[in-house]
Amino acid sequence: MTVRDPALAVVVKGWPRLSETFIAQELVALEEAGHHFDIWSLRHPTDTKRHPLHDRLRARVRYLPEYLYQETDRVWRARAAARALPGYTLAYRTWRADLARDRSHNRIRRFGQACVLAAELPPGTEALYAHFLHTPSSVARYAAIMRGLPWSFSAHAKDIWTSPEWEIREKLQAGTHGAAFGATCTAFGAEHLRQLADDPGRVDLVYHGLDLSRFPDPPRRAPGSRFGMLSVGRLVEKKGFDRLIAALALLPVGLDWHWTHIGGGELGDTLRAQAEAAGVAHRITWRGACDQPEVIDAMRAADLFVLPSRVAADGDRDGLPNVLMEAASQLLPILSTPVSAIPEFIDSGTHGVLVSDDPQAQANAMAELAADPAARTRMAEAARVRLLAEFTMPPGIAHLSARLTALCGT
């Protein structure tokens, strides 16, 4: 049996990653739609668990040198091979222009990884597709120029809001060997990227949506004696969990509540210390990183999903977090903030409640929702109806599949 060479190279930051279920969901769906690709990962995995989705993917996963000094022989062999490619000189000039504006080790590493990618791509490769507009797209772009291939990207949140405008503009300009197209998962992000593109049609709005076949039917909820709240998200500034802990400390004394957090992150020790100082640590369970079945089980047992997203000091922010749609799939009421694209899914008062990240405002909203199970039920049902009508996965996959098919045919 002849093994078919992949037509597409998919470049990702790391594989597999628990926090990037949306990427795994998309790639599994693209395989099922008939696309044949290899995954090229810039980093090795650090999570100790995997989602069941990761095990469904048949694509070969190949790891580029995470740090160039760790695989010097491979890098130098690739550099020599890359120099012989017809587009190497142009790629080198493009990279040098970028390096002049971003003198960082990361920028140097991107070019080394691009040389390895360009040198090791299978001969049948017809196009490259990168998840995230920053580092993965830079590696894909340099390699695509070397090989004379088209490339594209999918942008999400941090990569849009923390990348310099000059770099985004050049990645969206035909004259600077930019992407054939870019997809992004929110209207908020799409509008920003279209303003920076030479042709607004180069940017597509493609909601991730949910593959509801992977989720159980929602449970029947009955209020218990303790009001259980759940949050899922990395412990980083943009998720706003510091504000949430401050809000928990302001809840009425008579309210019997418990908050469970799922996810890892760099602020874990800081937030645990904050909870201790605020006197609420005994009402909090920190579960750490969990796979998706564990997340769904936790959603089915909770009374309220809370995600206090905010804009971080460096401009980073959420897009439209998939966990909100996952909560809606389980009829779990939602409390969040009107940041970025969250209002694209939730009309406050109809599909959930959106308040500012002010701790008192959050505490007031939590107390009001705890006291009104009928309102929680009404909004949870409305959110699920909207999910089923507008945010399922198939439409977005069909659009992306058509784009990638055309890209590989150019």
Side-chain angles (χ1 to χ4, degrees), residues 5-9 11 38 40 62 64 77-92 94 111 113-129 138-151 177 407 410:
D5 285 331
L8 186 66
V11 183
D38 282 350
W40 295 80
R62 306 180 66 167
L64 295 170
R77 283 196 307 270
R79 179 79 183 276
R83 284 176 184 268
L85 294 172
Y88 178 83
T89 299
L90 177 57
Y92 182 77
T94 302
F111 192 74
Q113 289 174 320
C115 287
V116 175
L117 177 59
E120 296 183 3
L121 280 174
T125 304
E126 298 175 356
L128 292 85
Y129 171 56
S138 292
V139 173
R141 180 185 179 215
Y142 300 145
I145 296 172
M146 292 180 203
R147 292 289 295 264
L149 296 173
W151 71 282
H177 304 279
L407 185 71
T410 56

Side-chain angles (χ1 to χ4, degrees), residues 203-223:
V203 179
D204 292 351
L205 169 60
V206 181
Y207 286 116
H208 295 144
L210 283 192
D211 176 6
L212 291 172
S213 68
R214 297 188 292 107
F215 294 82
D217 290 334
R220 292 184 178 181
R221 297 185 181 278

Side-chain angles (χ1 to χ4, degrees), residues 55-88:
D55 296 325
R56 286 174 54 185
L57 197 76
R58 301 185 300 274
R60 178 182 179 184
V61 182
R62 306 180 66 167
Y63 291 94
L64 295 170
E66 187 164 340
Y67 294 99
L68 303 184
Y69 68 83
Q70 294 174 333
E71 298 185 62
T72 53
D73 289 346
R74 183 185 178 194
V75 172
W76 284 114
R77 283 196 307 270
R79 179 79 183 276
R83 284 176 184 268
L85 294 172
Y88 178 83

Side-chain angles (χ1 to χ4, degrees), residues 225-247:
S225 58
R226 171 173 287 184
F227 187 60
M229 293 176 283
L230 173 70
S231 297
V232 180
R234 291 179 299 124
L235 296 170
V236 295
E237 183 185 2
K238 71 177 180 180
K239 297 296 183 180
F241 293 126
D242 56 335
R243 308 289 174 86
L244 178 55
I245 291 171

Side-chain angles (χ1 to χ4, degrees), residues 230-284:
L230 173 70
S231 297
V232 180
R234 291 179 299 124
L235 296 170
V236 295
E237 183 185 2
K238 71 177 180 180
K239 297 296 183 180
F241 293 126
D242 56 335
R243 308 289 174 86
L244 178 55
I245 291 171
L248 293 174
L250 298 174
L251 288 172
V253 174
L255 177 62
D256 185 12
W257 61 271
H258 190 88
W259 178 55
T260 299
H261 176 270
I262 291 177
E266 61 200 40
L267 297 180
D269 291 342
T270 300
L271 293 171
R272 289 182 183 89
Q274 180 187 348
E276 289 283 356
V280 295
H282 63 292
R283 292 180 177 266
I284 296 175

Side-chain angles (χ1 to χ4, degrees), residues 92-110:
Y92 182 77
R93 286 204 304 262
T94 302
W95 170 68
R96 290 290 299 185
D98 292 346
L99 183 64
R101 294 168 290 186
D102 172 28
R103 294 188 176 277
S104 67
H105 291 296
N106 184 38
R107 183 66 62 175
I108 296 170
R109 183 165 61 246
R110 294 182 201 186

Side-chain angles (χ1 to χ4, degrees), residues 171-184:
K171 287 176 177 174
L172 284 168
Q173 305 286 325
T176 53
H177 304 279
F181 77 89
T184 191

